[in-house]
Amino acid sequence: MSVVQLAVYIEPQDSSWHRVFSPTLEWVQGIADCIHPCIPLDGWNLGVMFTDDKTITAYNAQRGKSRATNVLAWCYAEDSAWPDQESYGDIVISGETALQEAQDQAVSLEYRLAQLLVHGVLHALGYDHERSERDELIMQSLEEQCMQNFQKL
């Protein structure tokens, strides 16, 4: 039984990256299972959206950035609008940017999307590699541990 409740969305459905690898709820659940030994997700509710650069750029505009990024994450655990939730977060991943990064790094799109999902979960938990070197080191270590679990799949 899963320790995390997931909702997965793919928008738009006709993106070129989506034809290379199409993440499913079961795939995302598998990544969550790889994350759980390193980062307890008990009681978490996560929304995960795989999208294109245009959509993630629109989300970034709300943050004062006018460009696409590979992943964005929000945590609503302390948000009074969600008093019945132990923890709640949303992760948005640009499949277009992930595909380009996968090609640049000579890895599969599936592997790169898994990395970004792990990275997004860490951001949803409050880690921010841009805020402090300590967070950056913690994130790197946890990402490596989680990806080792992913490679065992």
Side-chain angles (χ1 to χ4, degrees), residues 97-111:
T97 297
L99 178 58
Q100 184 60 55
E101 291 173 347
Q103 292 168 345
D104 292 347
Q105 297 169 21
V107 298
S108 70
L109 177 58
E110 178 182 11
Y111 185 84

Side-chain angles (χ1 to χ4, degrees), residues 69-96:
T69 54
N70 53 17
V71 64
L72 294 172
W74 295 266
C75 180
Y76 309 111
E78 298 174 11
D79 189 335
S80 61
W82 297 96
D84 298 336
Q85 304 291 335
E86 279 189 45
S87 300
Y88 184 88
D90 284 323
I91 298 168
V92 179
I93 297 172
S94 171
E96 277 184 85

Side-chain angles (χ1 to χ4, degrees), residues 11-26:
E11 291 294 333
Q13 292 284 333
D14 62 347
S15 296
S16 60
W17 69 269
H18 186 253
R19 289 187 285 277
V20 176
F21 175 75
S22 181
T24 63
L25 176 60
E26 293 77 20

Side-chain angles (χ1 to χ4, degrees), residues 17-132:
W17 69 269
H18 186 253
R19 289 187 285 277
V20 176
F21 175 75
S22 181
T24 63
L25 176 60
E26 293 77 20
W27 181 82
V28 173
Q29 185 60 62
I31 304 304
D33 293 344
C34 291
I35 294 170
H36 185 68
C38 308
I39 308 161
L41 297 174
D42 297 291
W44 271 78
N45 293 288
L46 286 174
V48 181
M49 178 193 292
F50 296 94
T51 193
D52 57 13
D53 283 352
K54 180 180 176 183
T55 303
I56 207 162
T57 298
Y59 281 108
N60 266 325
Q62 298 171 14
R63 302 172 58 234
K65 295 184 179 187
S66 59
R67 62 181 174 81
T69 54
N70 53 17
V71 64
L72 294 172
W74 295 266
C75 180
Y76 309 111
E78 298 174 11
D79 189 335
S80 61
W82 297 96
D84 298 336
Q85 304 291 335
E86 279 189 45
S87 300
Y88 184 88
D90 284 323
I91 298 168
V92 179
I93 297 172
S94 171
E96 277 184 85
T97 297
L99 178 58
Q100 184 60 55
E101 291 173 347
Q103 292 168 345
D104 292 347
Q105 297 169 21
V107 298
S108 70
L109 177 58
E110 178 182 11
Y111 185 84
R112 185 63 185 138
L113 289 172
Q115 285 178 314
L116 293 172
L117 184 54
V118 170
H119 191 82
V121 166
L122 291 169
H123 276 303
L125 289 170
Y127 293 103
D128 187 350
H129 53 87
E130 294 178 358
R131 180 180 53 213
S132 74

